[in-house]
Amino acid sequence: MTTLGSRSLFMVILEGSSLITLNILCFIGNVLVCLAVHRNPRLRISTNLYVIALAISDLVSAVFVMPISGVILFKGKWPFGESLCQFHACISLFVIYVSPATMSLTAINRYFRICKSNASYRKIFSQNKSCVWLAMIWLFVAAYIAIPRLTELQGFEFVPGYAQCSIKHINEKAKIIHYLIVLTFFLIIPSLATAVSYTKVFKAIRQHNVKVLPSICQIRRVVNETRISVQEIKLSRSLFIVVLAFMLCWVPFWLIVIIRRFFVIQMPRNIELMCMFCLYVSNTINPVIYAGMNSSFRSEFRRIITCRSRRLVSTQSMQGGKGNSVPVVLGNNATNIRTARIKPVEQIKTIETLEFVETNSTKIGPSSKRNRREDRHIFTLTD
């Protein structure tokens, strides 16, 4: 069957316009994430490689999956040929499988960054190795989708309840094997890895938050010795909320899929379609969470939307305001830094802001021209 069945005009407009709205928001939001990391060097830390990977997978859905499903909802049938159905199924399955795998790798990255030493973290999650991990996962997912299809162990067909093309199982045995693999590698293992990693991460964050900075005289020592930055803590919290929202969207999907595939139940079409909308919401909400939880992303989003360059903003901040504005930097690289208004020591009454920011910079050693990643810490004192 290639048609969606009888629907009222109101339902046609409601379903189609809702998906188109999600499609536009998903595209704009994830493009903003990519542009923010591209424009702002402070956001180019290894963790944000996984943020970019998630944004790219969401963009794949926004460009190749959601628009076709939107056309189907308006027309009420599959209006394209067989070749496009095969392509649509491949891309939608890739997005479904690669998102939880990337999310679990992101959680593991957070665990090593927060709970392990810098040496251990950089040994496993350097910039290059992070790219390798992501490439391996994406290639594994692509191979798992392509090989069974090319060897004709499974096919693709249009599923009216989902309003998109999906898997067609050749026989019952192949269906059981497929879902054992899918549920193990793309649901159970990612869920367990995410839960364990973030449990340990938030134990470390809670211990970090109860520490009180002793005095102004010890600020420099604390800045140099503190390994977990405020930015790292905020990023971990925002990523945890992404994971929570992600699971709330995906659990209904997998429940409906398992019930539909293994139990002889005539499931209402609205429930099947709702499960696909949960996936589309998952593709859309990540940029919203980044903007709401992470000040660095939020500031860069604002600059992009208002068409302001970072150089112009930095110049205005140095020229404006009262008092003397001078950069306070602990490190070797003095580019793209914040400025602080500092009064004489005897006039300093309180420490209102103490912020540690991790960025990427280049350092050339005395005997080598190799580039390596360096933590630079910045703090701001205001009266």
Side-chain angles (χ1 to χ4, degrees), residues 99-109 137 189-191 193-194 197 243:
S99 294
T102 305
M103 193 73 73
S104 64
L105 189 59
T106 304
I108 295 172
N109 172 275
I137 287 180
I189 292 179
S191 299
T194 300
S197 297
V243 171

Side-chain angles (χ1 to χ4, degrees), residues 1 23 44 57-58 70 78 86 114 133-134 136 197 204 219 250 272 304 306 323 340 343 353:
M1 186 173 72
N23 194 173
R44 296 174 197 168
S57 67
D58 293 340
W78 178 260
Q86 302 294 308
I114 299 296
W133 287 120
L134 288 169
M136 289 174 60
S197 297
I219 288 177
W250 282 74
E272 291 183 287
I304 294 172
T306 57
K343 294 186 178 182
T353 306

Side-chain angles (χ1 to χ4, degrees), residues 161-181:
Y162 296 155
Q164 67 175 41
C165 291
S166 188
I167 292 177
K168 176 184 179 181
H169 297 289
I170 305 301
N171 53 59
E172 192 69 18
K173 182 179 179 180
K175 179 172 70 174
I176 294 174
I177 294 174
H178 167 74
Y179 281 105
L180 284 176
I181 295 174

Side-chain angles (χ1 to χ4, degrees), residues 76-363:
K77 62 180 181 179
W78 178 260
F80 310 105
E82 180 65 22
S83 298
L84 189 57
C85 181
Q86 302 294 308
F87 173 78
H88 190 234
C90 285
I91 298 300
S92 62
L93 290 173
F94 179 82
V95 173
I96 290 172
Y97 299 157
V98 83
S99 294
T102 305
M103 193 73 73
S104 64
L105 189 59
T106 304
I108 295 172
N109 172 275
R110 289 291 81 206
Y111 165 72
F112 274 87
R113 180 64 187 93
I114 299 296
C115 302
K116 300 295 182 179
S117 64
N118 284 335
S120 298
Y121 175 77
R122 292 173 182 176
K123 184 178 180 180
I124 300 177
F125 288 105
S126 64
Q127 294 281 354
N128 292 335
K129 289 182 180 179
S130 293
C131 293
V132 171
W133 287 120
L134 288 169
M136 289 174 60
I137 287 180
W138 283 44
L139 288 174
F140 172 76
V141 172
Y144 178 74
I145 295 172
I147 292 175
R149 179 65 187 91
L150 295 175
T151 56
E152 297 185 353
L153 295 177
Q154 65 184 23
F156 298 138
E157 65 178 356
F158 177 66
V159 181
Y162 296 155
Q164 67 175 41
C165 291
S166 188
I167 292 177
K168 176 184 179 181
H169 297 289
I170 305 301
N171 53 59
E172 192 69 18
K173 182 179 179 180
K175 179 172 70 174
I176 294 174
I177 294 174
H178 167 74
Y179 281 105
L180 284 176
I181 295 174
V182 167
L183 292 177
T184 299
F185 285 97
F186 304 127
L187 179 63
I188 297 175
I189 292 179
S191 299
L192 289 177
T194 300
V196 172
S197 297
Y198 274 103
T199 298
K200 295 188 176 182
V201 162
F202 274 86
K203 285 182 179 178
I205 289 178
R206 188 163 54 247
Q207 294 173 0
H208 176 77
N209 286 340
V210 299
K211 295 179 181 178
V212 179
L213 298 180
S215 64
I216 297 176
C217 298
Q218 295 179 339
I219 288 177
R220 183 177 295 271
R221 178 178 62 82
V222 172
V223 168
N224 285 320
E225 293 179 357
T226 300
R227 181 171 53 83
I228 305 175
S229 68
V230 172
Q231 186 189 37
E232 293 286 349
I233 293 174
K234 290 181 179 179
L235 185 55
S236 294
R237 286 174 175 170
S238 65
L239 289 176
F240 173 78
I241 294 178
V242 170
V243 171
L244 180 62
F246 179 88
M247 296 305 295
L248 290 176
C249 291
W250 282 74
V251 168
F253 166 80
W254 287 112
L255 287 176
I256 293 172
V257 167
I258 296 302
I259 293 173
R260 183 181 182 277
R261 295 289 187 179
F262 289 96
F263 300 93
V264 184
I265 296 178
Q266 186 63 36
M267 188 170 293
R269 176 189 160 275
N270 291 339
I271 294 180
E272 291 183 287
L273 186 62
M274 180 193 69
C275 110
M276 299 310 299
F277 266 87
C278 287
L279 300 186
Y280 300 144
V281 170
S282 174
N283 297 145
T284 305
I285 59 177
N286 287 355
V288 177
I289 296 175
Y290 299 144
M293 294 294 297
N294 189 291
S295 60
S296 298
F297 272 105
R298 186 169 60 248
S299 298
E300 198 60 40
F301 288 168
R302 190 179 301 113
R303 294 189 189 102
I304 294 172
I305 294 173
T306 57
C307 299
R308 290 190 299 170
S309 67
R310 299 193 73 253
R311 180 177 299 179
L312 178 61
V313 172
S314 299
T315 303
Q316 291 175 347
S317 63
M318 292 185 68
Q319 291 177 351
K322 299 179 181 180
N324 297 325
S325 297
V326 295
V328 181
V329 182
L330 301 181
N332 298 322
N333 192 344
T335 60
N336 296 324
I337 61 175
R338 295 188 179 185
T339 60
R341 296 192 298 275
I342 300 182
K343 294 186 178 182
V345 175
E346 61 272 10
Q347 296 183 19
I348 297 179
K349 299 178 181 178
T350 61
I351 304 175
E352 182 179 333
T353 306
L354 176 61
E355 181 177 7
F356 305 94
V357 180
E358 179 192 67
T359 63
N360 295 326
S361 62
T362 301
K363 181 177 180 180

